[in-house]
C-alpha cells in the first residue's frame, strides 16, 4: 500500500497555505512538462492558468533546484524567441522493483523516465529473502552509477508485485503453504531498512497500467482497459487519464473474472489467458517451460503449441473485454505482456478477430491496441511511484490543464 502522511480533519479544513500552494503549482508545472516533453513559458502559462509572473518565478526556482533545463530558443516571426523547458534527466532518480512469480526486475530511471540501469533474476517461485537480497545489492550497485554527489537525488524505490502473492500456488507449481511467508513479510519496510530509501508498493499490473498511461500510448486516451499477460494475466483501469483502483483496489483484477469453461464449469480468466498455461502445454509436449524466460528464445519455434495458446487466450480475453465494457464504456483496450513484441501483436490481432466474429448486441466494444512498453512496464510503473508521490501530479488532476 502506498504510504501517505496522515492528515487530521483540522488540517483539511484550513486549506492550502502559501507553501502548499507553491508546492502544488511547482508540481503542476513539472507535470505539464513531463506530459508534453517540452513547453515554453507562454504555453505553460496558458495550460496552467497561472500568471506569467508566477510561471517565471516557479521555473526559476525549479531551474535553481536542477529539475528543469532550457532548450534551444525557437524564433518566431515577431517578439522574443520562445525557450522550451524540459525535465532535467539528472534532476531526480528512482528505483523500480518488479516482483513476479517467475522473475524479479530492478531498474533505475531518471527524471525523464529513461532507464539508466537494470538487473534481473529468475526463479521457479519468489521467496522474500531472495528478492530482498537481489534488490538490496542491486540498489547499491546501481547507486554507484549516479555518483556520490547525487545520492540525495534518489526519490525512492517503487515496488510492483501481485497482491496476495501466495495465491494460486498450485498453478505456480509449489506445495500449498510454501509462499505463506509473504503474508507477514512487509517488503517495503524491509527495503527501507536495508537501503535507507523511502519505499512504496503497488499491484504489479496496476503499476504496468500506470506506466502505459504516464509514458506509453495510454497517454492519448481518457478511458482505457489495460490487460497485461504475464505468468498470470492481470490488468488495470484508467478513467479520465488516471488510474482507478476502486474501493478495495480490485479494479482491473482481470485474473479473477469469471469465465465459462469448455464443459460449462466455472473458471476464471487466469485459467485461459496466462503464460503459466502455455508453460503447462510445453511440459505436456516434453519441452522445457523455462524457454519462455530466456530472452534469446524465438517463440515462433513453438509452432502449433503457440498458435493453440494464442487462439484460446484471445477468445477469453475478448470475452473479458466485452464483460468489462458492459460496465464501463472504454475507449480502447490496451494489451501488453511478458512476451516478444511479435507474439503480443499476433495475440492482439487474434483478439480483434475473436471480437469481430461475435454478435455483441447492445454494446460497442473498444478498439484493441498493442501496448508499447512490454515486460519492463511493471518495473517502470514501480519506478514512477516515487516520482509522482514527490514531484508530479496525479494524471486526473492534470487532465484539465492538458
Amino acid at each position: 500500500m502506498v504510504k501517505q502522511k496522515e492528515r487530521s480533519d483540522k488540517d483539511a479544513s484550513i486549506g492550502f497555505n502559501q507553501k502548499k500552494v507553491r508546492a502544488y503549482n511547482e508540481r503542476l508545472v513539472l507535470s505539464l512538462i513531463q506530459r508534453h516533453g517540452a513547453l515554453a513559458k507562454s504555453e505553460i502559462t496558458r495550460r496552467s492558468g497561472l500568471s506569467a509572473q508566477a510561471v517565471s518565478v516557479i521555473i526559476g526556482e525549479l531551474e535553481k533546484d536542477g529539475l528543469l533545463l532550457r532548450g534551444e530558443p525557437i524564433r518566431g516571426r515577431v517578439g522574443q524567441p520562445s525557450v522550451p523547458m524540459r525535465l532535467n534527466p539528472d534532476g531526480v532518480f528512482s528505483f523500480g522493483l518488479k516482483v513476479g512469480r517467475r522473475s524479479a526486475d530492478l531498474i533505475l530511471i531518471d527524471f525523464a523516465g529513461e532507464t539508466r540501469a537494470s538487473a534481473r533474476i529468475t526463479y521457479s517461485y519468489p521467496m522474500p529473502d531472495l528478492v530482498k537480497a537481489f534488490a538490496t545489492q542491486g540498489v547499491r550497485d546501481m547507486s554507484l552509477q549516479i555518483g556520490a554527489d547525487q545520492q540525495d537525488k534518489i526519490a525512492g524505490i517503487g515496488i510492483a508485485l501481485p497482491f496476495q502473492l501466495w495465491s494460486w500456488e498450485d498453478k505456480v507449481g509449489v506445495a500449498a503453504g510454501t509462499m505463506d511467508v509473504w503474508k507477514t513479510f512487509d517488503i517495503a519496510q524491509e527495503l527501507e531498512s536495508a537501503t535507507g530509501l523511502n519505499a512504496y508498493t503497488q499491484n504489479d499490473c496496476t503499476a504496468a497500467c500506470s506506466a502505459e498511461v504516464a509514458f506509453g500510448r495510454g497517454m492519448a486516451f481518457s478511458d482505457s482497459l489495460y490487460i497485461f499477460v504475464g505468468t498470470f494475466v492481470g490488468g488495470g483501469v484508467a478513467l479520465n487519464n488516471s488510474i482507478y483502483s476502486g474501493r478495495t483496489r480490485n479494479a482491473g483484477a482481470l485474473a479473477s473474472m469469471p469465465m465459462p469453461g469448455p464443459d460449462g464449469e466455472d473458471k476464471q480468466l487466469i485459467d485461459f489467458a496466462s503464460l503459466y498455461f502455455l508453460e503447462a502445454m510445453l511440459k505436456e509436449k516434453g519441452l522445457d517451460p523455462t524457454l519462455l524466460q530466456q530472452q534469446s528464445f524465438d517463440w515462433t519455434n513453438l509452432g502449433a503449441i503457440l498458435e493453440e495458446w494464442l487462439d484460446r487466450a484471445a477468445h477469453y480475453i475478448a470475452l473479458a473485454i466485452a464483460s468489462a465494457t458492459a460496465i464501463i464504456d472504454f475507449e480502447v483496450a490496451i494489451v501488453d505482456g511478458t512476451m516478444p513484441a511479435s507474439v503480443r501483436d499476433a495475440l492482439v490481432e487474434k483478439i480483434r478477430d475473436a471480437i469481430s466474429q461475435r454478435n455483441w448486441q447492445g454494446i460497442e466494444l473498444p478498439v484493441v491496441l498493442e501496448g508499447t512498453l512490454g515486460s519492463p512496464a511493471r518495473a517502470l510503473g514501480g519506478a514512477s511511484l516515487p516520482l509522482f508521490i514527490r514531484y508530479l501530479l496525479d494524471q486526473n488532476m492534470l487532465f484539465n490543464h492538458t
Side-chain angles (χ1 to χ4, degrees), residues 348-392:
V348 168
E349 192 59 40
K350 286 180 178 291
I351 293 171
R352 292 170 180 157
D353 289 343
I355 288 175
S356 67
Q357 293 170 11
R358 297 284 295 271
N359 177 19
W360 308 104
Q361 187 172 354
I363 58 173
E364 182 176 342
L365 294 195
V367 175
V368 182
L369 299 173
E370 301 88 349
T372 54
L373 302 176
S375 182
R378 292 167 294 177
L380 180 58
S384 70
L385 269 177
L387 299 184
F388 277 92
I389 289 171
R390 296 187 60 179
Y391 294 96
L392 303 172

Side-chain angles (χ1 to χ4, degrees), residues 271-322:
D271 296 309
F272 305 107
S274 300
L275 288 177
Y276 94 86
F277 186 74
L278 179 56
E279 291 179 0
M281 294 172 66
L282 294 180
K283 287 181 181 179
E284 289 179 3
K285 298 294 183 179
L287 299 174
D288 181 6
T290 63
L291 288 171
L292 302 180
Q293 300 176 37
Q294 300 174 16
Q295 295 183 347
S296 61
F297 178 67
D298 184 355
W299 287 34
T300 59
N301 291 334
L302 298 177
I305 299 175
L306 178 61
E307 284 299 308
E308 180 182 348
W309 177 81
L310 285 171
D311 287 337
R312 181 170 295 197
H315 170 76
Y316 284 97
I317 290 175
L319 290 179
I321 292 173

Side-chain angles (χ1 to χ4, degrees), residues 5-226:
K5 292 183 178 179
E6 294 183 357
R7 187 179 67 175
S8 68
D9 292 338
K10 180 179 180 180
D11 292 332
S13 66
I14 295 174
F16 287 119
N17 60 29
Q18 186 176 358
K19 184 176 181 181
K20 289 180 179 178
V21 169
R22 177 187 168 200
Y24 175 88
N25 290 341
E26 288 180 347
R27 284 172 175 257
L28 174 57
V29 170
L30 289 172
S31 298
L32 285 170
I33 294 172
Q34 185 273 331
R35 183 170 179 83
H36 295 278
L39 287 175
K41 290 182 182 179
S42 58
E43 190 64 17
I44 296 172
T45 300
R46 185 183 71 82
R47 292 179 180 273
S48 67
L50 299 171
S51 68
Q53 181 180 4
V55 169
S56 293
V57 171
I58 290 171
I59 287 177
E61 291 296 322
L62 294 175
E63 279 190 281
K64 186 188 303 181
D65 292 340
L67 297 177
L68 290 182
L69 293 177
R70 291 174 177 263
E72 291 296 323
I74 301 175
R75 299 188 179 278
R77 295 180 179 178
V78 295
Q80 295 293 322
S82 63
V83 179
M85 306 300 300
R86 60 185 178 88
L87 299 184
N88 179 5
D90 293 329
V92 185
F93 300 93
S94 181
F95 285 101
L97 173 66
K98 182 273 293 185
V99 182
R101 291 182 170 87
R102 296 294 190 219
S103 64
D105 294 281
L106 181 72
I107 65 170
L108 172 68
I109 69 170
D110 59 30
F111 203 20
E114 296 296 322
T115 299
R116 294 292 188 94
S118 64
R120 160 176 280 209
I121 57 169
T122 59
Y123 37 65
S124 297
Y125 55 91
M127 293 301 284
D129 289 344
L130 175 64
V131 172
K132 177 184 175 182
F134 162 72
T136 301
Q137 188 61 50
V139 167
R140 290 172 182 166
D141 293 342
M142 294 181 192
S143 294
L144 296 177
Q145 300 185 30
I146 299 176
D149 60 335
Q150 294 184 305
Q151 296 300 305
D152 61 342
K153 295 182 179 181
I154 301 176
I157 177 170
I159 306 161
L161 78 166
F163 291 158
Q164 298 186 1
L165 187 58
W166 54 89
S167 299
W168 294 302
E169 287 177 315
D170 57 328
K171 292 178 172 61
V172 175
V174 299
T178 302
M179 296 171 62
D180 281 354
V181 63
W182 281 103
K183 293 181 179 180
T184 56
F185 186 81
D186 188 335
I187 189 169
Q189 182 178 338
E190 292 288 335
L191 288 181
E192 283 189 346
S193 299
T195 66
L197 298 174
N198 291 325
Y200 315 89
T201 61
Q202 189 175 59
N203 174 267
D204 60 335
C205 288
T206 302
C209 183
S210 299
E212 189 68 48
V213 169
F215 304 110
R217 73 189 312 170
M219 186 184 299
F221 304 99
S222 176
D223 304 325
S224 59
L225 176 67
Y226 182 80

